[in-house]
Amino acid sequence: MDSNRIMPRDRTGIALVDRMLSKSLEELRSTTVTRDFHIKLGRHPNLEKHLGNLEQEFAGRSELGLLHAALIVLIRREVCLEIALTEFLSMWSRIAENLCKELDLRWLVSACDTFADHAQDEASRSRALLASAVANTVKLYETERRAINAPHLAREGAERMYASPQVVLFDGVTRYGVVRGDMIRNLLGRIDRLNADCSDSVQRLTVEVINRVLVNDTVFRRFAALHTNEATRWDIIRRT
């Protein structure tokens, strides 16, 4: 069998998925989804219509990402679960680097959730859940921040907060020292050590998700711009 070809042991009976599964990885990477772009949130009860909505989300991108997303949909709905999970795990085992470059953070986190639910070893489940938890926490507070149209924290505000005697946020949790605190650096150091060798696809995926959170317009990058203590600065965690 061609090692560059994804071949299911059985067909799923779902035309879109079977068509893509019959292609080589190179064909998937080089074939662009030709649909009008549209993102429709939520789960459509009809699987075929849901996959049609998914095609629109991947308009202008390669079929590799679309197949990956479609497999996750099948896994979550437990439709052709064995086939879909086998192909999902095979993709990550063979082309993790390509997937990390191809997928946006939304689908990288979905991959983490799938590993957290279905990976065979506890270490992989734990790593994937860690990355998903960090990214989804950022998603929650960014949703709240934009809903109330909160401005970015300025350096003057960060300095005032650091000097303020009001240190408790809730339930004994103290505020982060934006300009000189070491919590973020320590957190990233622990994550880095947990994934030090990037020896498998879940470690590579975890590193990619955390780094995407760090380089995009999130609290991590905004606070990095305000941080003044060289001893506690942070950067992206290691890459392969």
Side-chain angles (χ1 to χ4, degrees):
M1 184 178 71
D2 182 355
S3 61
N4 194 40
R5 186 171 294 279
I6 300 175
M7 294 291 290
R9 290 170 294 176
D10 301 293
R11 296 182 67 81
T12 66
I14 301 166
L16 174 68
V17 177
D18 285 342
R19 175 176 59 77
M20 290 189 292
L21 283 173
S22 69
K23 295 184 177 183
S24 71
L25 296 174
E26 186 55 41
E27 286 176 310
L28 290 168
R29 282 194 290 260
S30 61
T31 303
T32 301
V33 179
T34 55
R35 295 288 300 273
D36 292 330
F37 175 75
H38 180 69
I39 293 181
K40 188 169 185 177
L41 298 178
R43 170 184 172 130
H44 197 291
N46 181 285
L47 176 58
E48 295 288 351
K49 290 184 177 179
H50 187 88
L51 293 175
N53 292 337
L54 202 60
E55 276 193 283
Q56 290 184 292
E57 180 177 337
F58 280 86
R61 296 158 67 181
S62 81
E63 284 191 342
L64 181 65
L66 175 59
L67 174 59
H68 177 266
L71 291 173
I72 289 177
V73 169
L74 296 187
I75 291 167
R76 289 186 179 177
R77 296 193 183 210
E78 297 187 347
V79 174
C80 304
L81 178 59
E82 184 178 355
I83 296 173
L85 186 57
T86 297
E87 299 304 333
F88 171 86
L89 295 174
S90 175
M91 287 179 77
W92 276 102
S93 175
R94 294 157 61 190
I95 56 167
E97 196 66 32
N98 292 102
L99 291 170
C100 284
K101 293 176 180 178
E102 177 76 23
L103 300 173
D104 59 22
L105 186 55
R106 162 171 156 77
W107 287 103
L108 290 172
V109 172
S110 291
C112 285
D113 290 338
T114 305
F115 276 114
D117 290 338
H118 296 284
Q120 295 182 339
D121 62 285
E122 184 176 356
S124 291
R125 292 195 299 272
S126 298
R127 288 188 176 99
L129 181 58
L130 165 68
S132 176
V134 170
N136 281 317
T137 299
V138 171
K139 176 180 177 177
L140 289 176
Y141 82 72
E142 288 293 342
T143 299
E144 180 184 42
R145 183 179 69 86
R146 297 183 190 203
I148 63 175
N149 196 29
H152 291 181
L153 181 65
R155 183 174 299 280
E156 294 78 12
E159 293 284 0
R160 285 196 303 272
M161 182 182 295
Y162 197 83
S164 171
Q166 302 299 319
V167 298
V168 177
L169 298 175
F170 61 91
D171 199 20
V173 176
T174 56
R175 56 164 171 72
Y176 173 62
V178 177
V179 294
R180 291 184 286 276
D182 63 1
M183 183 271 288
I184 293 178
R185 181 182 176 89
N186 292 343
L187 170 65
L188 296 177
R190 293 183 184 105
I191 295 173
D192 195 4
R193 289 190 293 274
L194 184 63
N195 299 279
D197 55 3
C198 279
S199 61
D200 60 44
S201 56
V202 177
Q203 288 180 308
R204 181 66 187 90
L205 171 60
T206 300
V207 167
E208 187 68 25
V209 168
I210 300 299
N211 282 341
R212 294 283 185 96
V213 169
L214 295 177
V215 302
N216 279 287
D217 184 16
T218 69
V219 70
F220 290 99
R221 198 176 86 177
R222 294 193 295 271
F223 279 7
L226 300 173
H227 204 76
T228 61
N229 186 359
E230 291 298 326
T232 55
R233 280 195 180 279
W234 62 90
D235 198 351
I236 61 171
I237 58 179
R238 76 182 72 227
R239 293 183 184 271
T240 54

